[in-house]
Amino acid sequence: MRRSPAPRTAPTVGSSWWGSALLVLGVAACGGDRAAPPQAGSPASPIQVAVAVPPLAWLVEAVGGDSVTTTIMVPAGTSHHGFEPAPRQLFALETAGLYVGVGHPAFLAESEALGPTLARRGVPLVTLTDAALATAAQVPPDDPHLWLSPPVMEATAEWVAAALSRMDAAGADSRAHRLAATRAEIDRVDREVRQRLAPHSGRAFLVYHPAWGAMAARYGLEQLAIESEGREPAPRQLVSLLDRARREGITTIFVQEGFSDRGARVLAAELGGRVVPLDPLPRDWPAGMRRTAEAIAASLGSAPTGAPSP
């Protein structure tokens, strides 16, 4: 297992964290009026772990087993833009021993309740470096959906295991076995998805919200997004995008489950195609990755004349 760097103080809320790696925040180790962190050894009760999104709950539970319980801060079907946590989520964060999030949890920066609280208390954190992500995972620089890249999930599993073992040294051996099993499962998913998408390498798929860039980069595909940074495209951009879709025989528009598909349905009608919902925040990460790969492969079918060759 790679050695984790020493925790450091989190950036001030509002600073740019986009493009950085997954991060692990040791909430219980905060200073100020926080309770003292658990001592090394076996805790009397499971370690409370707050996670940003559902896929990270799968990861933490896969590594931690019965030694952890998780609370999801931004559930599926919820936008992080303008997100405000419910009281029970605030309580879970206050009592958590660990926080696991993505490189730039925008809901923290934008939330009046969470952001200033974590900044004031100087939450320590450890991160993977941007360079390691770019080399090992080919993650797009501004895509926060890092959990859709298996190498990122595998590396983060190591960080989580190390963080939990610092809090619960007695469970380290058992956790090492769970980590090995988790990494094996992630590798298995990676191989299956690669095999399913390999015939379509070099081709593009059309999405409304750009949530699948990390997955596209991993498997040699191109994500064409209608929306950019939460904004609708300019008319000229939209015309150009639809023209390309027609040239390459793209007739499916993927939308994020839980969000309105009205605009996507209008555009799909222009293409003579259809709208397909996908979940970029799967609580069951392995199943979600397989479903997404199958949907993308089915939408591409066989390469039309003039489309990029695999």
Side-chain angles (χ1 to χ4, degrees):
M1 181 183 298
R2 294 186 291 272
R3 181 174 297 177
S4 301
R8 57 187 175 84
T9 302
T12 302
V13 168
S15 65
S16 177
W17 294 356
W18 290 106
S20 62
L22 291 178
L23 54 86
V24 181
L25 306 182
V27 175
C30 294
D33 57 351
R34 299 294 303 199
Q39 300 298 313
S42 181
S45 58
I47 299 170
Q48 305 293 319
V49 183
V51 301
V53 291
L56 295 182
W58 172 84
L59 186 71
V60 169
E61 291 166 5
V63 172
D66 292 339
S67 70
V68 299
T69 59
T70 60
T71 298
I72 298 168
M73 303 306 295
V74 184
T78 303
S79 173
H80 64 259
H81 296 291
F83 171 79
E84 289 296 333
R88 63 176 179 79
Q89 293 172 306
L90 283 174
F91 177 77
L93 191 66
E94 288 290 331
T95 58
L98 192 68
Y99 177 84
V100 182
V102 294
H104 176 60
F107 70 93
L108 291 182
E110 296 174 2
S111 166
E112 295 181 1
L114 281 184
T117 298
L118 294 183
R120 183 178 69 251
R121 289 172 173 169
V123 177
L125 60 91
V126 293
T127 73
L128 301 178
T129 66
D130 289 348
L133 273 179
T135 299
Q138 302 174 331
V139 175
D142 296 325
D143 191 340
H145 304 84
L146 304 179
W147 55 86
L148 294 177
S149 175
V152 175
M153 289 292 273
E154 188 170 343
T156 305
E158 294 188 11
W159 291 122
V160 169
L164 293 174
S165 292
R166 283 194 293 270
M167 304 172 68
D168 173 25
D173 288 344
S174 173
R175 199 166 293 115
H177 290 296
R178 296 189 66 88
L179 173 61
T182 302
R183 293 184 61 181
E185 174 68 1
I186 294 171
D187 286 344
R188 183 160 49 249
V189 170
D190 193 21
R191 289 194 303 272
E192 290 177 14
V193 171
R194 182 175 295 282
Q195 182 178 19
R196 187 67 183 92
L197 294 176
H200 310 289
S201 179
R203 296 191 60 195
F205 62 98
L206 186 60
V207 304
Y208 203 84
H209 177 71
W212 292 274
M215 188 172 183
R218 174 65 178 169
Y219 302 110
L221 301 174
E222 182 183 359
Q223 172 187 253
L224 299 179
I226 296 168
E227 189 181 76
S228 177
E229 297 181 355
R231 295 191 299 270
E232 299 291 334
R236 183 177 298 178
Q237 292 174 312
L238 184 57
V239 169
S240 176
L241 191 62
L242 292 178
D243 283 346
R244 179 177 174 184
R246 292 188 185 97
R247 288 196 307 271
E248 298 185 14
I250 300 172
T251 59
T252 298
I253 301 177
F254 293 105
V255 298
Q256 188 169 339
E257 285 185 359
F259 289 82
S260 172
D261 64 353
R262 187 187 319 174
R265 283 189 281 108
V266 171
L267 297 178
E270 288 285 327
L271 295 173
R274 60 179 184 146
V275 172
V276 174
L278 280 180
D279 182 10
L281 299 167
R283 181 64 172 78
D284 184 339
W285 181 84
M289 289 289 290
R290 293 180 176 109
R291 281 195 301 268
T292 299
E294 185 61 36
I296 292 174
S299 77
L300 294 175
S302 57
T305 303
S309 300

